[in-house]
Structures are given as C-alpha cells and as structure tokens.
C-alpha cells in the first residue's frame, strides 16, 4: 500500500471505540513460546511444570497458542 491509498474515516468508523490491545479472557490457558499461562483477573500465571498443570485438572486440549503481554 501507498500513503496515497489512505482515505478519511467515515462517520461510522469514527464512532467505533478506541481501545488498547485485546486482553485474554479470564480463565484462558495460553501457550506463549512453550510456557503455558493461566489468565486470571488481568494477570498471567505461568505453570512451572507439566505435573503442576495437570494436577490442577487442566488439559492440554484447553490450551490455545498466543502471545502474552
């Protein structure tokens, strides 16, 4: 794309909310470069081992790939 391809925002686009990055939902299990994190109350908590993860009743089927802040 070129700068000349840019166009002014429409009235509807200007009504959209301005937000920061989308955070992960509470309870999400996210694998970020090999470490699985639990998201709770806006914080991330990394599991220190596979047994630590499994002993809390979680399954790797619940984990999604993503990047944490």
């Amino acid at each position: 794309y070129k700068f000349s391809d840019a166009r002014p925002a429409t009235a509807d686009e200007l009504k959209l909310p301005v937000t920061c990055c989308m955070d992960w939902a509470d309870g999400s299990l996210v694998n970020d470069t090999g470490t699985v994190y639990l998201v709770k109350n806006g914080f991330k908590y990394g599991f220190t081992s596979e047994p630590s993860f499994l002993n809390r009743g979680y399954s790797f089927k619940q984990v999604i790939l993503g990047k944490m802040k």
Side-chain angles (χ1 to χ4, degrees):
Y1 295 99
K2 296 176 280 183
F3 189 75
S4 61
D5 293 331
R7 59 176 177 70
T10 67
D12 285 338
E13 291 170 332
L14 291 172
K15 293 177 190 173
L16 293 171
V18 177
T19 61
C20 184
C21 307
M22 184 176 157
D23 291 332
W24 295 98
D26 227 31
S28 294
L29 294 166
V30 182
N31 180 338
D32 182 358
T33 60
T35 300
V36 176
Y37 295 92
L38 169 65
V39 177
K40 188 166 183 155
N41 298 321
F43 293 94
K44 64 179 183 180
Y45 300 93
F47 290 92
T48 57
S49 67
E50 183 177 352
S52 168
F53 176 81
L54 296 173
N55 289 339
R56 287 173 173 76
Y58 296 113
S59 164
F60 287 107
K61 291 180 182 180
Q62 299 169 290
V63 177
I64 54 176
L65 292 174
K67 290 285 183 190
M68 304 295 297
K69 289 187 205 179

